Amino acid sequence: MKYIFSDEYGTPSYKGIDRDDNKVFFLSAVIVDPDDYSEFILGLTDFKVRWFKHKAEFCLHFKEISRKERIYRFLNEEHIEVGFHKDLLELISSLKFSFLGAFINKIEILHHYKQNIHPYLASIQLIASKLLDFPEREFRWIFESRRSFEDTLYADSLENLTIMGVTTTHLDWLKDHRFGDLKFVPQFRRKEERIAGLEVADILAFAIGSSIRKEVLERPLWSFASRILEVIKEEKLLTGHLYVAI
């Protein structure tokens, strides 16, 4: 069994679709061998202790890092910010995991399909489709817990995938009954539990999702995020592709 840790960039809602930051959705999948996970936790913990000392018992949150808010206010000093991101980049490179993402352009969904396809369910379907070519057959898929309704929706989508070959009937054209050969054990963990895999999934979802969004909109990239994207492309890809998309 492999662990999959997922977090999102953007909202699955279609409300406010006119705003640039609400036009896309990105779901990260950080895939870790259980035998490597203790070292994974230790590496992240050491990084947090180096930079936050006795305040290290919190979850890294890349959106707040980018804004230099709250506990990250010290990053307003440029030389410290540069050192922090260099160390973070080295940490990500050193951790043992594979990566795959799913990118949803919600504007394109509205243009080409009759229904508003749920971006989270579509992303699960797209990531799982690449797992069909992976030798492992069993996965513990770990998500950050939101509301109980959403947790149930995402857990049910994985069950639908193995039974019906699709997470939602809105994606019937992607149906594949080979998903019946896979076993998914969904798990939902709260942010305050400080799950190392979810912290890294958050960092990569924001760094990669925001970089792809800006590329689509032809906006300048934030250098610290785009460097993370390049490291993942060069060192961590599961299938040779950074992400799959609709």
Side-chain angles (χ1 to χ4, degrees):
M1 176 180 286
K2 300 287 187 184
Y3 297 156
I4 304 174
F5 298 93
S6 281
D7 203 354
E8 75 271 17
Y9 169 81
T11 170
S13 172
Y14 283 82
K15 293 180 181 178
I17 195 72
D18 55 312
R19 299 197 306 271
D20 283 347
D21 59 356
N22 198 34
K23 291 178 179 178
V24 303
F25 179 88
F26 186 84
L27 188 69
S28 63
V30 175
I31 303 168
V32 184
D33 190 300
D35 291 339
D36 295 326
Y37 193 50
S38 293
E39 185 177 345
F40 189 103
I41 295 171
L42 182 59
L44 187 64
T45 301
D46 286 348
F47 171 85
K48 290 164 73 174
V49 170
R50 278 198 302 277
W51 285 96
F52 303 98
K53 306 298 190 282
H54 62 284
K55 297 180 180 180
E57 291 189 0
F58 70 99
C59 282
L60 288 173
H61 195 247
F62 205 64
K63 185 176 183 178
E64 291 178 357
I65 291 172
S66 71
R67 293 178 175 178
K68 297 179 252 189
E69 296 176 338
R70 300 173 61 191
I71 198 169
Y72 307 106
R73 287 195 299 271
F74 69 95
L75 297 176
N76 283 292
E77 294 189 42
E78 184 177 356
H79 73 284
I80 294 178
E81 182 183 29
V82 169
F84 177 90
H85 283 283
K86 179 177 182 294
D87 196 13
L88 180 61
L89 196 66
E90 290 174 355
L91 168 69
I92 291 170
S93 179
S94 69
L95 297 178
K96 294 180 181 179
F97 66 89
S98 299
F99 181 84
L100 182 64
F103 179 75
I104 307 295
N105 186 326
K106 288 185 276 186
I107 296 295
E108 293 297 313
I109 295 289
L110 293 177
H111 283 168
H112 291 96
Y113 302 101
K114 295 180 180 179
Q115 298 157 315
N116 293 355
I117 299 167
H118 195 300
Y120 214 114
L121 303 189
S123 296
I124 290 173
Q125 175 93 26
L126 291 171
I127 290 169
S129 70
K130 295 302 180 183
L131 298 177
L132 290 170
D133 300 323
F134 200 53
E136 184 65 53
R137 300 287 89 185
E138 297 186 11
F139 302 90
R140 182 178 300 276
W141 205 329
I142 303 156
F143 305 88
E144 183 179 319
S145 180
R146 307 294 183 181
R147 296 174 297 179
S148 59
F149 169 78
E150 290 179 335
D151 293 355
T152 300
L153 177 65
Y154 304 151
D156 287 349
S157 75
L158 284 172
E159 183 177 5
N160 292 341
L161 194 62
T162 56
I163 294 173
M164 301 189 303
V166 68
T167 56
T168 168
T169 54
H170 292 175
L171 294 169
D172 268 347
W173 79 92
L174 293 176
K175 185 174 290 186
D176 191 329
H177 290 291
R178 289 182 297 161
F179 288 119
D181 296 332
L182 304 182
K183 179 181 179 181
F184 295 107
V185 179
Q187 193 173 66
F188 298 88
R189 306 295 295 270
R190 299 186 306 278
K191 186 180 290 291
E192 56 267 28
E193 293 181 82
R194 302 190 300 274
I195 305 301
L198 290 179
E199 292 184 74
V200 173
D202 167 88
I203 292 168
L204 300 185
F206 188 92
I208 297 172
S210 63
S211 295
I212 297 171
R213 176 178 71 87
K214 289 182 177 181
E215 287 176 339
V216 169
L217 298 174
E218 298 183 347
R219 300 283 180 82
L221 301 183
W222 187 44
S223 61
F224 294 123
S226 62
R227 282 188 287 185
I228 288 174
L229 180 150
E230 291 304 319
V231 164
I232 297 302
K233 285 170 61 176
E234 292 171 8
E235 302 178 8
K236 305 294 186 181
L237 299 187
L238 177 69
T239 64
H241 298 282
L242 180 65
Y243 63 89
V244 282
I246 291 181

